[in-house]
Amino acid sequence: MYKKIKKRIFEIIESANGGDAASKLFDIVIISLIILNVIMVIAETFDISQNLISVMNFIEVISVVIFTIEYALRLWTADLLYPQYSAVKSRIKYIFSFMALIDLLSILPFYLPFIIPMDLRVLRTLKILRLFRVLKINRYTNALQTIAQVFKNKASQLILSMFVVLLLIIMASVLMFNVENAAQPDKFSNALETMWWAVATLTTVGYGDVYPITAAGKVLGTIIAFLGIGMVAVPTGIITAGFSEVIQNDKQKIETQNDEKHYCPYCGHKIDK
Amino acid sequence: MYKKIKKRIFEIIESANGGDAASKLFDIVIISLIILNVIMVIAETFDISQNLISVMNFIEVISVVIFTIEYALRLWTADLLYPQYSAVKSRIKYIFSFMALIDLLSILPFYLPFIIPMDLRVLRTLKILRLFRVLKINRYTNALQTIAQVFKNKASQLILSMFVVLLLIIMASVLMFNVENAAQPDKFSNALETMWWAVATLTTVGYGDVYPITAAGKVLGTIIAFLGIGMVAVPTGIITAGFSEVIQNDKQKIETQNDEKHYCPYCGHKIDK
Amino acid sequence: MYKKIKKRIFEIIESANGGDAASKLFDIVIISLIILNVIMVIAETFDISQNLISVMNFIEVISVVIFTIEYALRLWTADLLYPQYSAVKSRIKYIFSFMALIDLLSILPFYLPFIIPMDLRVLRTLKILRLFRVLKINRYTNALQTIAQVFKNKASQLILSMFVVLLLIIMASVLMFNVENAAQPDKFSNALETMWWAVATLTTVGYGDVYPITAAGKVLGTIIAFLGIGMVAVPTGIITAGFSEVIQNDKQKIETQNDEKHYCPYCGHKIDK
Amino acid sequence: MYKKIKKRIFEIIESANGGDAASKLFDIVIISLIILNVIMVIAETFDISQNLISVMNFIEVISVVIFTIEYALRLWTADLLYPQYSAVKSRIKYIFSFMALIDLLSILPFYLPFIIPMDLRVLRTLKILRLFRVLKINRYTNALQTIAQVFKNKASQLILSMFVVLLLIIMASVLMFNVENAAQPDKFSNALETMWWAVATLTTVGYGDVYPITAAGKVLGTIIAFLGIGMVAVPTGIITAGFSEVIQNDKQKIETQNDEKHYCPYCGHKIDK
C-alpha cells in the first residue's frame, strides 16, 4: 500500500507523458506557479502599493509551501529515480543534482532568517536567489539542457578562444589607457575602466559612453576593433555551431527513429530523397 | 459566354506568365498603385500642404475603388482558383486565405466609418492597416513566401532558442536592476526598463541611452554581453541558415527539373529512384 | 618598325609578369601616382597652407598628364588587347570597358572647364570623381574583380533578400513613426527620419542619436531588432558566403594545377592526405 | 657532470609533461610571476599609495631578476633545443625566435637606463614593453600559436579582403566628408576624422560620437552601412573559419594518433596509405 502510493506520487511529480491527468495537473500547477513567481520578481522591482505587497507576500508564502512540498516529495521518491542506489545514497545523489540544488536555493532565502539571525541587507541580497525559480521550468523543456550540452561539448575550444579574448582585452586596455588617459583622465581613469571600453568595442555593443578622442587612440581603437571583432567572433561562432549541432543531432535521432532509411547502394551514405 | 468572360478575367487577374498583354497591364496597374500607396503612407507622416492632402485623398479613393474591384473579382473567380471545392466553399476558403485577408484589411479602414460610427482616434489607428497594402506586392514576388517557409521549417529550433534568450533577458534584467538601481534609479527604474538595456546589449545595438556605471554593473554587463551574444547569435544563425536552405532548395528544384539524372551526392554514382 | 614599337608599348603598359624591367617600372610609377593621389584627396579635406596647395596643384597637373598619356596609349594599343575585333570596334569596346571608364572619369574633371564653361560649385562636386583614381589600382590586384564576381554570382539571392529588408524597413518605419512621433516629434518627425533609426537598429550600428522612449516604442523596437537582425544577417551571410566561395574556387584552381591528385579508390572523392 | 646539470636544467625549464616535480615547480613559479606582473601592470594605472608603489617596485626587481635568470638559462641550453645547429648558431637562432624576443623586450626597459642615459618620458613609454610579459604565458598554452597559425594559413585571403575594406573606408570617408562637412564642420572636419566614423559604422560598433545629420549623409550612411557590413564580415568570417579549422585539425591529429585505421571520409572504405 505504502509502496503503491509512493510509486503513484513519483509518477505524478515526474513530467507527464501520455494521458495521466493527475500528473498533467501537477505540471500545470507548478508551471503556473513558476510563471507567477517570475512576474512577481519583475513586479517587485516597481514601486508598488502596500496592498499589492501584501498580496504578493501571500503568494510568496503559498509558493514556498508548494515548492517545499514538491522538494520533499522529490526527495522521498528519489530512490525510485535512482533504483540502482541504496535508500541513503539515492537521496544524497538527488540533493546534489543540479535541479535539486536549484529547487533548494530558490526556497532557502525564505527559511534562512528563521534558522540563523541575519542582517536585513544580506537577506535582501539572498532574495535574488528566488530568481532561480525561473530555472525550475527546466524540467519541462530541454532548452537549458541543450545549452549545458553545448558548453560541455565545446568546453576546450571555448576555454582556448576565451583565453585569447582575455589576453586581447588586457593588452588593449593597458595600451589604450596609456594613450587616452592624458586626454580623458575621467573616462580612461585606469586599466579596469578602460576594459569596459574594450568589452563594448570588441562585442560591437558600443554604448558610446567611452570612446577614444585622440588621433593615437582612434588608430589603436581601429586596430583593436578589427582584430578583436574577429577574435570575439570565434567563441560566438563556437557556441552557435555547438547549439546547431546539438539541435541537429536531436532532430536526426528523431528522424532515424521515425524514418525509413534511404542509403546510396554504392557508398552507404544516407540520401535525402 | 458568362463562363468565358469569367475565365478571361481570372486569367487577367492572375500573375501574368507569357505574352498575355491584358494580364500584364493589370499587374502593372496594381503594382504601380501599391508603390504609389507606399509613397503616400510615408508622405502622410510629413507636414504636408492642404493641396497635397486633397490630391492624396483623391488617390486614396481611387486606390480603394480599384482594390475593392480587384477583391470582388478575385472573390468572384475563387471557384476557378479552387476547382475542387463547391461554389460557396471555394469563396469561404478564399476569404480566409492569407492574401485575401491582407487585401480586405488594407481597404477596410476606408469603409468602416460608413458602417459603424467610430471614434476619430480609433479610426486614425485603424488607418495604419493601409500599410498592409505593401504586402499585396507579395503576389508578384516569392520573397514573403520564402520568409514564411523559413519560419515554418525552423519553428521548433527557433522556439527553443528564443525561450533560452527570453530566460536570459529575464534573469539579466532582474540581476542588473538589483545591481544598478541604487546608482541610476531613473534609468534602471524597474526590471522592465532594464530589459530594454538587456535587448540593446544582447543584440549589440547598444544605443547608449542606458548602460551600467557601477563596477559591479560593468562586470555583470560584461558577462551578459559575452554569454548573451552567443545565445542571440543562435536564432539569428537559424534564420540565416533557414533562408539559405530555402533559396538553395528553390535553385535545386529548378536544376532537378532541367536535369533528368539523380546522383548520390557523396559518391557520384547514378541512382535509380 | 611601327608595329614593333606598338607591341613593345603594349607589353610595357600591361601588368608585368616575369622579368620585364620596363613594364615593372611603368607599374611602379602608376601605382605610386595612384597612392600619391589618394593621399592628396585625403589631404585636401584638411585646412592646408597656400604653399602646399600650390605643390598639390602641380602634382595634380603631372598626374593628369601621365594618366592622360596612359589612357591614350591604352586606347592606341586596344586592338592588341582585342585582336579578334577590327581597329575601330576594338577601340569602342575598350572605351566602354569598366576600367577605361574609370580612367576617363577620373581625369575628366580636369579638362571639363576648358571644354564647357561651368559653374564653380558644379566643378567642385565633379572633382570628387578624382576619387575614382583609387580604383585604378584594380589593374594590379584581383580584389575588386572578386567583389564584382560575388555580386554577379549571388545577384538573385541578394535582390530577393534585399527586397525583404526594404519591406521590413518601410513597415518598421511607418509603425515606429505612429508609436513614437507623439513622444519625440523632433526625432521621429516623419517616416523617412524614422528609417534612419530602422537602419541603425537593423544593422546593429546603434549610434544612439534616435531610439524609442515610450513603452510601446521599446516593445516594437525589441520585436523589430530581433526579427530584423536575422533578416539583415541574410544578405550579409550571402555576401560572406559568396566571397568565400570565389576565394575558395581561385585556391582550388591553383591547387588542382599544382597538385598530385589523391582520390579514394572506391568512391572517387579527393582526399586530403 | 657539467653536461648532466645542463641537461637537467633544460628539462626543468621546458614545459613539464609527466611527473617531473622540479619542472612543474618551475612552471608554477613562472606562471605565478606572470600573473602577478599582469596584475601589477593593471594596478599601476590606478592612483596608488606610496607604500604600494614601494612593494610593487620590489616585486618588479624580483621579477626582472627571475626573468633574467630564466632568459640566461634558456640561452645557455639553446644548443639542446636546436641540437642540429652549432653552439653559436643555435644561440643566435634562439635569440631571434619569437618567444626569446618577447622575453628580452619585456625585461629590457629595466636595464636600459643603466646602459644609455634616457629621457624619463621615453623610459615611461618603454615601460609599456613590460606588457609583453603577458605573452610569456604563451609557452604554457597553444592559444597564441593557434592565432599565429590562423593568420599564416589565411594570409592571402585576409590581405585581399582587408584591401577591399581599406578601399571602402577611403572612398566612404572622402564621400562622407564632402556630404557632411558643411553641416558638421567640427565632427567631419577632414577625411581622416571621417574615417573614424567609417570604422565605427562598418564594424557596427557605432559609439554615436559621430553620425551624419543631413539627409544626403543619412542616405550615404545607409548605403555604406549595408555594403560595408557585408565586406567587413568577410575578414571576420575568414578569421573565424581559420580558427575553427586549426582547432579542428588539432582535434583530428589527436584522433588520428589514437586511431590506427584510415578511412575515406566520403564513402567509409578503409584505405591503405
Side-chain angles (χ1 to χ4, degrees), chain B residues 45-46 128 134 147 193 207 266, chain C residues 164 167 178 190-191 197 201 269:
Chain B
T45 66
F46 287 81
I128 202 77
V134 181
I147 293 180
E193 278 295 317
Y207 291 118
Y266 299 96
Chain C
V164 174
L167 273 192
N178 280 282
N190 56 57
W197 165 81
T201 301
H269 256 97

Side-chain angles (χ1 to χ4, degrees), chain C residues 142-155 158 242-243 245-247 249-250 253:
Chain C
N142 56 342
L144 292 172
Q145 278 129 321
T146 305
I147 292 179
Q149 194 60 41
V150 167
F151 278 78
K152 211 171 154 188
N153 288 354
K154 302 278 173 179
L158 276 174
F243 214 113
E245 276 170 36
V246 169
I247 290 173
N249 285 351
D250 286 4
K253 233 179 273 168

Side-chain angles (χ1 to χ4, degrees), chain B residues 38 41-47 124 128 131-132 134-135 137 141-144 146-147 150-151 162 165 169 193 195-196 199 202-209 232 235-236 239-240 243-244 247-248 251 265-269, chain C residues 154 157 160-161 163-164 167 170-172 174-175 177-178 189-193 195 197 200-202 204-213 217-219 221-222 225-227 229-231 233-234 237-238 266-269:
Chain B
V38 171
V41 168
I42 294 171
E44 269 178 23
T45 66
F46 287 81
D47 278 326
R124 252 196 91 186
I128 202 77
L131 199 55
F132 278 17
V134 181
L135 297 177
I137 206 83
T141 161
N142 56 342
L144 292 172
T146 306
I147 293 180
V150 167
F151 278 79
M162 271 301 172
V165 171
I169 288 178
E193 278 295 317
M195 273 188 200
W196 179 242
V199 168
L202 294 182
T203 59
T204 78
V205 170
Y207 291 118
D209 52 342
V232 170
T236 305
I239 292 174
T240 312
F243 214 113
S244 306
I247 291 174
Q248 214 69 32
K251 221 168 131 192
Y266 299 96
C267 72
H269 263 99
Chain C
K154 302 278 173 179
Q157 291 188 31
L160 181 67
S161 61
F163 180 76
V164 174
L167 273 192
I170 291 173
M171 298 197 75
V174 176
L175 284 173
F177 166 79
N178 280 282
S189 54
N190 56 57
L192 283 186
E193 279 295 316
M195 273 187 201
W197 165 81
T201 301
L202 294 182
T204 77
V205 170
Y207 291 119
D209 50 343
V210 266
Y211 48 83
I213 54 165
K218 284 176 179 179
V219 170
T222 299
F226 275 100
L227 245 175
I229 288 163
M231 290 297 113
V234 174
I238 292 168
Y266 298 94
C267 73
H269 256 97

Side-chain angles (χ1 to χ4, degrees), chain A residues 42-53:
Chain A
I42 293 170
E44 270 179 22
T45 66
F46 286 81
D47 279 327
I48 45 178
S49 70
Q50 203 55 43
N51 284 345
L52 203 57
I53 290 177

